[in-house]
Amino acid sequence: MKKIFSILIFALLSCSLLADEGMWLPLLLEKYNIADMQKKGFKLTADDIYSINHASMKDAIVIFGGGCTGEMISNEGLLITNHHCGYGTIQRHSSVEHDYLTDGFWAMSRKEELASPGLTVTFLVSMEDVTDKVLEGVTSDMSDGDRATKILANISKIKEESVKGTHYQARIESFYNGNQYFLFKNEIFEDVRLVGAPPSAIGKFGGDTDNWMWPRHTGDFSLFRVYCGKDGKPAKYSDENIPYTPKKFFPISLKGVQEGDFTMVFGYPGTTQEYLPAVAVEQVMYDSDPTRIAIRDKKLEVIKAGMEKSKLTRIQYSNKAASIANGWKKWQGEIKGLKRLDAVNVKRNFEEGFQKWANDKPEYKNLLDDYAKVYAEMKPLNLAYIYISEAGLGSYAVSFANQMRMLESCKDASAENLQSLKEMALSKSKGNYKDYDEQVEIRLFAEMTRIYAENMPEKYWPSTYSSIDKVAKSASDKYMAFAEYCFSKSVFANQEKFEAFVNGLSSKSAKTLQSDPIYNIAKEIIAIYRNEIQSAIVDCDERIKKLDRIYMKAQMEYEPQKRFFPDANFTLRVTYGQVSPYQPADGIDYLPYTTLDGIIEKDNPDIYDYKVPARLKELYEKKDYGRYADKDGKLHVAFTATNHTTGGNSGSPVINGNGELIGVNFDRNWEGTMSDIMYDPEMCRNISLDIRYALFLIDKFAGATHLIDEMEIRK
């Protein structure tokens, strides 16, 4: 175990990585990165970024919700993140009468800030290498099962002891595919209130068309405030709570950025897979990504057709459409980028040299052959899982029916338990049917059934599918006819039918569920997965994880001169680079920034995503940019840099060499989305909102100057 750790240290210290690739642990910057960062323009120290002895930048960073980053920008609990990170909350507060998605929202006083139940922010208290403790008692002669059991027991004990007597929560994550472990102590705040959000015409300007693209003109930010009890500790929502005073918040720079300027992104990148073998990359490129894209093509077609017909449906499905489209477009860019880099052959060329080195090392000799075998087994299982999750359970009616399978327990429930089931079901149904249009759902059900039935072997069909031809009879579209039949017979078809069923719930209601077509489809598809597919996938996953752990260690031994960064796993990381343009294709040179001029050029009143608000056009005509204009006289909107980012970095602060906030990270360029698997310094760029554009919108557009007044603005 100590030998493994020494390999990691040596690999990290040996040399610098090319360009600006890498997502680094802030705890280890002093040893491995700070000199390189300072060479590139960072003027502070590693201790200014991460310290447990005094306030540092890490104390201003939060996990926002469950999958984004946010940062503190005042000593009164004010937080900024992306508009798309706050989108779900904004949507839940929206209605036809108060359409905050379309109109925006600005709390002009603390009393107007909107409580957002279920929304949390998480501060990191400390991180610690606990590899020795986690692997204590683990021996090389253990079976895989015994090894995993021992590690889990050690982790449970470490977590419990680390937060005993505190209100903190503990998390332990593996790094380098299980060769190293870190403990993270967190403080979680539950009272988080919506403070401000621009209209979607600004915060989501360009919509799905511009998503992942550059040039970009999106004002992608929203504001929230963290509240706490009077003792400064986390507390559930209460009118008595007060704004939280963070240990650290970011000062904001008005200087802007120039090409070549140092930039640092500090946040929670979600997942990368930089060290995959060639066979795994091949499956991503030619199987997994294309299959998901094809299914989501149809989902988006159905949903967008419904959204175009009704303002209410547009509100109801806006967040769903954005969520579906995000991965759909990213995967397309990923395939294109991997093909351009000839990623599979690059990996194979590496593996050819690796195999020659490994031939006289028994522990590594058969690694690549073992990978080939397990991925061959995984391929059909993986495709089956995609069709089940994306198509079989891909309509919201079926997915909600799956969530309600606990209702079948009504047949043996006591009066007290029946009441509990009713309350739980009705509570969940409110969220489901609030964003639900029956006609859209019928069409979506039809198309997902079509895809599932036409691509999955009949042995994986739910029994209800056997009636498709019988129900359709002479219908021109048998899947649409089947969908209409299922909805006519199902209690899940709409809110009225579902609530009537739940309100009348009794021990006899189980029979109704057993004859419900939508319920049976959900129940049987889950059963098919669990009985026919799940155990085989788990077995393959476990074998792959073991191979990954050994292969990671082997790669570090094979290339001791290379500095390896750990794959992203939604733990706090630092990535750094420089403001930089790029050339996406022959004859095209992109500037590293965009301006308000580009928004006006894209203005199209007939297209929802490009309809520029009148107030913004008025400010543009007057050139009323206040102190937020760049020295070129223009209002800059966004900029690109070479920071290595991924999902989860949405909302992360972009920091200059002085430790000041200059932007909010919100995307990557489409040509660089393969960076989760293979980074290309010439093409990979992160896209950030210029913080001056956010300040301009808060101040000049919204008139919420009181929010500007609580920030520390530096000229």
Side-chain angles (χ1 to χ4, degrees), residues 690-702:
D690 192 308
I691 196 62
R692 297 172 297 176
Y693 184 49
L695 298 178
F696 161 80
L697 291 168
I698 295 167
D699 189 354
K700 292 288 186 176
F701 178 84

Side-chain angles (χ1 to χ4, degrees), residues 163-178:
V163 295
K164 190 174 182 179
T166 75
H167 64 278
Y168 300 142
Q169 294 188 20
R171 172 186 173 198
I172 290 179
E173 293 292 341
S174 71
F175 292 78
Y176 300 105
N177 294 329

Side-chain angles (χ1 to χ4, degrees), residues 113-314:
E113 295 174 357
L114 300 178
S116 305
L119 179 61
T120 63
V121 299
T122 302
F123 289 87
L124 175 68
V125 177
S126 66
M127 64 175 68
E128 176 188 355
D129 187 334
V130 291
T131 306
D132 288 347
K133 294 178 181 178
V134 170
L135 297 180
E136 185 177 353
V138 174
T139 60
S140 58
D141 59 350
M142 276 184 165
S143 68
D144 294 339
D146 288 344
R147 184 181 194 276
T149 299
K150 183 61 178 175
I151 287 175
L152 287 174
N154 288 344
I155 286 175
S156 179
K157 181 180 178 182
I158 297 165
K159 286 169 60 177
E160 182 180 355
E161 291 177 350
S162 70
V163 295
K164 190 174 182 179
T166 75
H167 64 278
Y168 300 142
Q169 294 188 20
R171 172 186 173 198
I172 290 179
E173 293 292 341
S174 71
F175 292 78
Y176 300 105
N177 294 329
N179 285 295
Q180 193 172 9
Y181 292 84
F182 277 82
L183 165 70
F184 298 85
K185 286 191 226 178
N186 295 319
E187 187 174 33
I188 301 175
F189 288 78
E190 299 179 68
D191 187 354
V192 185
R193 306 180 194 181
L194 177 62
V195 173
S200 291
I202 291 173
K204 201 173 178 290
F205 184 80
D208 295 333
T209 303
D210 281 7
N211 189 25
W212 299 106
M213 306 303 289
W214 184 260
R216 198 70 176 276
H217 299 87
T218 312
D220 196 349
F221 79 97
S222 55
L223 300 173
F224 291 80
R225 195 180 304 279
V226 182
Y227 281 77
C228 61
K230 292 182 179 180
D231 59 359
K233 294 181 179 179
K236 293 189 179 298
Y237 172 83
S238 169
D239 289 338
E240 301 300 316
N241 285 349
I242 60 174
Y244 173 64
T245 301
K247 297 174 185 175
K248 175 77 175 178
F249 66 91
F250 285 106
I252 298 172
S253 173
L254 292 180
K255 293 179 182 177
V257 297
Q258 303 296 320
E259 184 175 340
D261 282 356
F262 173 88
T263 57
M264 181 179 97
V265 173
F266 200 4
Y268 285 85
T271 304
T272 57
Q273 297 174 294
E274 301 286 339
Y275 308 109
L276 290 175
V279 66
V281 176
E282 190 171 37
Q283 283 198 15
V284 169
M285 289 176 64
Y286 299 108
D287 297 313
S288 301
D289 280 2
T291 302
R292 287 191 176 100
I293 290 165
I295 297 171
R296 292 195 178 195
D297 273 339
K298 185 56 67 174
K299 284 186 181 180
L300 289 168
E301 177 186 317
V302 171
I303 289 173
K304 289 184 175 181
M307 291 172 70
E308 288 175 2
K309 293 179 180 179
S310 162
K311 180 178 181 180
L312 176 60
T313 305
R314 176 179 56 74

Side-chain angles (χ1 to χ4, degrees), residues 12-203:
L12 284 165
L13 287 173
S14 295
C15 80
S16 293
L17 215 60
L18 293 175
D20 299 309
E21 181 180 6
M23 300 172 179
W24 307 98
L25 285 165
L27 174 65
L28 303 177
L29 292 176
E30 180 64 44
K31 291 183 179 179
Y32 312 135
N33 307 93
I34 196 63
D36 186 41
M37 294 172 69
Q38 291 170 339
K39 182 180 178 181
K40 291 181 176 178
F42 188 61
K43 297 179 175 62
L44 304 179
T45 68
D47 204 45
D48 292 317
I49 297 173
Y50 177 89
S51 175
I52 59 172
N53 298 315
H54 61 79
S56 58
M57 290 184 196
K58 72 116 166 79
D59 298 309
I61 310 293
V62 301
I63 297 174
F64 181 85
C68 282
T69 303
E71 55 272 9
M72 309 306 296
I73 55 173
S74 87
N75 65 356
E76 299 176 56
L78 193 63
L79 174 154
I80 191 168
T81 187
N82 287 155
H83 185 271
H84 76 259
C85 292
Y87 196 82
T89 299
I90 301 164
Q91 188 246 11
R92 284 189 290 274
H93 283 299
S94 295
S95 63
V96 173
E97 295 76 21
H98 299 287
D99 187 355
Y100 299 136
L101 289 176
T102 298
D103 303 329
F105 171 79
W106 305 97
M108 293 302 175
S109 70
R110 301 284 166 85
K111 290 183 179 179
E112 294 180 8
E113 295 174 357
L114 300 178
S116 305
L119 179 61
T120 63
V121 299
T122 302
F123 289 87
L124 175 68
V125 177
S126 66
M127 64 175 68
E128 176 188 355
D129 187 334
V130 291
T131 306
D132 288 347
K133 294 178 181 178
V134 170
L135 297 180
E136 185 177 353
V138 174
T139 60
S140 58
D141 59 350
M142 276 184 165
S143 68
D144 294 339
D146 288 344
R147 184 181 194 276
T149 299
K150 183 61 178 175
I151 287 175
L152 287 174
N154 288 344
I155 286 175
S156 179
K157 181 180 178 182
I158 297 165
K159 286 169 60 177
E160 182 180 355
E161 291 177 350
S162 70
V163 295
K164 190 174 182 179
T166 75
H167 64 278
Y168 300 142
Q169 294 188 20
R171 172 186 173 198
I172 290 179
E173 293 292 341
S174 71
F175 292 78
Y176 300 105
N177 294 329
N179 285 295
Q180 193 172 9
Y181 292 84
F182 277 82
L183 165 70
F184 298 85
K185 286 191 226 178
N186 295 319
E187 187 174 33
I188 301 175
F189 288 78
E190 299 179 68
D191 187 354
V192 185
R193 306 180 194 181
L194 177 62
V195 173
S200 291
I202 291 173

Side-chain angles (χ1 to χ4, degrees), residues 355-365:
Q355 187 62 56
K356 290 178 181 178
W357 171 84
N359 279 335
D360 61 352
K361 296 174 176 60
E363 68 271 38
Y364 303 141
K365 182 178 180 180

Side-chain angles (χ1 to χ4, degrees), residues 1 34 95 163 170 172 235 258 279 292 307 330 370 393 440 489 511 570 591 678 702:
M1 180 270 303
I34 196 63
S95 63
V163 295
I172 290 179
Q258 303 296 320
V279 66
R292 287 191 176 100
M307 291 172 70
K330 185 258 186 182
D370 290 342
L393 300 173
V440 172
K489 301 293 184 182
K511 291 183 179 180
F570 203 55
L591 293 173
M678 187 172 287

